[in-house]
Amino acid sequence: MNIHKFVMPEVIFGNGSIHQVGESCLRLGATNVLIVSDPGVAEAGWLDVVIKSCRQVGLKYTTFCDVTINPKDEEVTKGCEAYLENECDAIIGIGGGSSIDAAKAVAILATNGGQIHEYEGVDKIQFPLPPQVMVPTTAGSGSEVSQFSVIVDTKEKKKMTIISRSLIPDIAIIDPETLSTKSAHLTASTGLDVLTHGIEAYVSLAATPLTDVQAQNAISLVGKYLRPSVASKINQEAKTNMAMASLQAGLAFSNAILGAVHAMSHAVGGRYPLLHGDINSILLPHVMEFNLLANPKKFADIAYFLGIDTRGMSYMEAGRKAIEYVKQLAEDIGVPQRLSDIGVKQEEIRKMSLVAFHDACMITNPRDITVEEIEGIFRKAW
């Protein structure tokens, strides 16, 4: 019998749940919190909501908002300095994947010391982290429920993937109302990230029945609700369902890990200040084409989850329909179609292929892959 492990934080989901952030910190024994966020979230007013919630329960707080798209090693160091200087004892992360990944990385350094680079890879964290409450404002990275933090090594120009049970936050607060302030492009980009999480987790070598049920729900919800969510900021049904899709995809990939899309996307994102979801949306159909051979049955399932009538089709035929669907969805919601469109230089492909080959996410890709094959996929996507 196979042994399955599934880890997750306490989850609070629903409209208005953001107001529980202060009380949630209190329950974890916090008295003085560092709030990690970014200028966009502050501008949208969500940071003020979190501050008010902390004030209402008498929590002291310090804000650190110097997080940029694809958080950098030096930002983590600065955040840790703010935590230690102000004698904080807990961390709130509010924002997209960048803010939440940065908050987790700050938590590592706060109690383990050293440089963030020392923790790249699996299970390098030695000492317990401070209490962490995470509030995502995109649907989204799934970082609020995952055991991942991805940080850019500015010297090596690559994304470092840090994986540890310690990185699973204590409490994740998912409030679909926070999605109403996102632009159509960000909604589309982060939504494609959710789909990528769902698909990569479902076909991962580490998938289990526990992760499969989360992944299939996430894929199905994206198929139904991403288009209307991009089309309207005020479509509450679409926002709530995309928030749920993001949560479930996060639970799936946190436990099943990912694959070649993310390994390659990390290699690109370490070199270029691009939206992670934009890179994923370009690479996803090409990687699906490559991986189809490894598990046609699961790719046929994906077609079914996306609402395609697969009756009378072979697994390979149905799998190809899923790939066509993903390409059409990306076109419909207006995300970039080619790496050349977003400024990726062809002469960087060889270097990025080598970096991707060594990424932790490549270990669970369903099909064996060489550096040359990675390069081939990059060139197809260029």
Side-chain angles (χ1 to χ4, degrees), residues 50-130:
V50 166
I51 288 170
K52 188 181 172 191
S53 178
C54 290
R55 278 192 182 139
Q56 278 172 341
V57 295
L59 279 174
K60 284 180 17 186
Y61 65 89
T62 301
T63 57
F64 177 77
C65 292
D66 296 343
V67 179
T68 57
I69 182 173
N70 301 318
K72 323 283 181 286
D73 42 17
E74 60 236 18
E75 292 161 20
V76 173
T77 305
K78 277 189 205 153
C80 181
E81 284 165 8
Y83 181 94
L84 297 172
E85 278 167 21
N86 292 282
E87 298 180 344
C88 299
D89 56 16
I91 291 182
I92 296 169
I94 171 158
S98 295
S99 294
I100 294 176
D101 278 6
K104 290 176 171 185
V106 168
I108 296 171
L109 295 190
T111 53
N112 287 263
Q115 297 295 312
I116 198 63
H117 314 78
E118 295 162 38
Y119 303 96
E120 184 179 7
V122 182
D123 291 334
K124 302 278 176 73
I125 298 168
Q126 222 179 336
F127 301 108
L129 304 192

Side-chain angles (χ1 to χ4, degrees), residues 157-231:
K157 288 191 178 164
K158 71 180 183 93
K159 283 191 169 186
M160 302 177 285
T161 303
I162 303 165
I163 306 173
S164 168
R165 169 72 185 80
S166 310
L167 288 175
I168 296 169
D170 296 277
I171 301 175
I173 297 175
I174 296 111
D175 188 336
E177 284 180 358
T178 61
L179 305 181
S180 63
T181 53
K182 281 193 334 181
S183 68
H185 179 208
L186 192 59
T187 302
S189 181
T190 53
L192 250 303
D193 193 20
V194 173
L195 183 61
T196 308
H197 292 154
I199 290 173
E200 290 215 289
Y202 191 68
V203 301
S204 161
L205 293 178
T208 71
L210 290 167
T211 60
D212 280 353
V213 70
Q214 304 291 340
Q216 70 190 51
N217 272 344
I219 294 165
S220 175
L221 288 170
V222 172
K224 285 192 190 86
Y225 292 104
L226 180 53
R227 287 180 182 89
S229 186
V230 171

Side-chain angles (χ1 to χ4, degrees), residues 196 199-207 256-264 283-284 286-295 299 356-357 359-370 373-374 377:
T196 308
I199 290 173
E200 290 215 289
Y202 191 68
V203 301
S204 161
L205 293 178
I257 319 299
L258 292 156
V261 179
H262 272 78
M264 294 169 72
L283 294 173
L284 179 59
H286 297 285
V287 171
M288 287 174 75
E289 275 167 9
F290 178 81
N291 283 338
L292 176 58
L293 199 64
N295 199 336
F299 280 96
F357 183 73
D359 191 277
C361 292
M362 206 57 103
I363 300 162
T364 45
N365 192 66
R367 185 174 173 183
D368 295 346
I369 195 164
T370 64
E373 284 166 331
I374 295 167
I377 296 168

